[in-house]
């Protein structure tokens, strides 16, 4: 695999993208990233096109909660919630709320014991034996994206999300990102500020939450290489992000670029199939880019041998004095793999060959009807898939900075992607769909 870039080269790509700033769908930094990706892939020798994707772009303004006693705290407006220049009302905990109140609800992230995940997994690569005791903090509460819904059901006029249960102090939590427009204004408050607020409830308050939503055209970056069969393998990730986001998903796009460069330098006859490298827009708007690609190319999907998605080369962090400190360990790695024994065996052998510790091979629908990935919508289309993803607690936060990237994992992850693609040589789409 002499054609793969080094970790330093991949990290330089990540730094280049992160340096442009916040890459939410339709933001200038994301538009720049689309063009940059097209230039890099063209430079590798691939045929590249930009396919348009319409997304609902959300842009926040000021966020403030002010009590009648003059106390105030800055907050982050929740994505796709309604704006309010100054909503005055009674503010109370959800349990004590009346219709028309500003409702306060506390959020804690879910603690996921890995012994439980082991019972769900097809297999695990855990040479350290940590899965018997490890507990992972994932970046969602028990209701996932439906954080505002209990307040809506209570007839609330506004919502304040109290981030009291997070392992570090932040208000920069970019959830929900399903692009559903919820009809009340809403703010996230940091745990420190929220705890001060909770001691004063109920009381009168004013909520300010500035935001604007419009429709813009973004682009999927689609690059292709001809190969040694009439079938196709897709290698994909997304290029947008909630913040400048190094792990989510500058690391994923770097892995896709690394895989593309490798196969571009391999003679066409030695490529196992035609190859499509897909970098989607609008992940932070309900995977708009993936859905648009599927809609545009649905007639071609029956000829896809495998869709390989690469997301989040992440370091595990520990909270220390209200901040996140990266460890030398990778975050738990999930490999959502179609229930096809030959494909599961290929992934298992790959994880061991590349020593990708702390890895689970999981069925695609183990946590929900689709895998929790940007490529999820390929699953109900019947496309065979391997989706790599890790879910560190900081994934949707501005704390996702360069120091969180699993630099030590970049090269083995890229080699793993190449191994998996190469391992499909001689396979046809029906081989995995019938799961022999």
């Amino acid at each position: 695999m002499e054609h793969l870039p080094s970790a330093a080269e991949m990290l330089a790509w990540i730094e280049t993208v992160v340096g442009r700033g916040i890459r939410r769908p339709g933001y200038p930094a994301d538009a720049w990233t689309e063009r940059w990706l097209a230039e890099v892939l063209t430079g590798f020798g691939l045929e590249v096109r930009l396919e348009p994707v319409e997304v609902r772009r959300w842009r926040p303004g000021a966020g403030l909660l002010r009590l009648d006693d003059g106390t105030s705290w800055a907050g982050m407006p929740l994505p796709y919630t309604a704006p309010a220049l100054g909503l005055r009302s009674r503010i109370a905990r959800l349990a004590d709320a009346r219709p028309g109140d500003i409702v306060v609800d506390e959020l804690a992230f879910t603690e996921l014991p890995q012994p439980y995940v082991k019972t769900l997994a097809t297999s695990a690569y855990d040479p350290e034996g940590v899965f018997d005791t490890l507990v992972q903090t994932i970046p969602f509460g028990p209701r996932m994206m439906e954080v505002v819904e209990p307040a809506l059901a209570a007839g609330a006029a506004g919502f304040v999300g109290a981030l009291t249960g997070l392992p570090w102090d932040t208000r920069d939590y970019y959830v929900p990102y399903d692009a559903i427009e919820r009809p009340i204004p809403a703010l996230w408050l940091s745990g420190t500020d929220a705890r001060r607020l909770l001691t004063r409830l109920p009381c009168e308050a004013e909520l300010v939450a500035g935001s604007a939503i419009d429709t813009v055209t973004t682009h999927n970056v689609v690059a292709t290489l001809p190969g040694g069969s009439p079938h196709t393998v897709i290698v994909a990730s997304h290029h947008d992000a909630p913040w400048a986001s190094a792990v989510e998903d500058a690391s994923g796009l770097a892995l896709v670029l690394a895989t593309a460069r490798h196969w571009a330098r391999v003679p066409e006859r030695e490529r196992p199939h035609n190859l499509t490298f897909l970098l989607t827009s609008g992940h932070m708007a309900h995977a708009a880019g993936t859905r648009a690609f599927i809609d545009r190319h649905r007639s071609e999907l029956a000829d896809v041998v495998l869709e390989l998605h690469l997301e989040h080369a992440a370091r595990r962090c520990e909270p220390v004095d209200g901040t996140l400190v990266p460890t030398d360990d990778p975050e738990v790695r999930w490999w959502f793999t179609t229930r096809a024994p030959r494909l599961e065996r290929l992934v298992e052998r790959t994880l061991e060959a590349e020593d990708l510790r702390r890895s689970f091979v999981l069925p695609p629908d183990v946590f929900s009807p689709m895998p929790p990935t940007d490529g999820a919508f390929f699953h109900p289309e019947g496309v065979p898939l391997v989706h790599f993803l890790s879910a560190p607690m900081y994934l949707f936060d501005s704390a996702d900075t360069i120091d969180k990237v699993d630099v030590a994992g970049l090269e083995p992850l890229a080699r793993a992607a190449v191994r998996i693609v190469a391992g499909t040589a001689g396979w046809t789409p029906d081989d995995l769909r019938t799961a022999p």
Side-chain angles (χ1 to χ4, degrees), residues 167-244:
W168 78 107
D169 205 44
T170 184
R171 61 173 179 261
D172 292 344
Y173 182 47
Y174 195 88
V175 168
Y177 57 89
D178 52 15
I180 294 173
E181 296 179 29
R182 291 168 172 87
I184 60 174
L187 292 179
W188 290 118
L189 286 188
S190 71
T192 296
D193 292 341
R195 281 184 283 272
R196 292 170 180 152
L197 169 65
L198 291 168
T199 65
R200 293 166 164 83
L201 299 182
C203 62
E204 296 296 313
E206 180 183 31
L207 187 152
V208 175
S211 66
I213 300 175
D214 58 359
T215 300
V216 297
T217 300
T218 62
H219 298 87
N220 289 337
V221 183
V222 184
T224 56
L225 284 171
S229 94
H231 309 302
T232 298
V233 168
I234 299 171
V235 182
S237 191
H238 61 93
H239 57 69
D240 65 307
W243 301 92

Side-chain angles (χ1 to χ4, degrees), residues 65 81-82 84 87-92 94 97-105 148 150-152 154-161 183-187 207 209:
L65 184 70
T81 53
L87 169 67
R88 289 190 56 80
S89 187
R90 177 179 179 263
I91 182 167
L94 177 62
R98 304 190 298 239
D101 281 353
I102 299 169
V103 165
V104 180
D105 196 14
V148 181
L152 290 172
F159 171 82
V160 173
I184 60 174
L187 292 179
L207 187 152

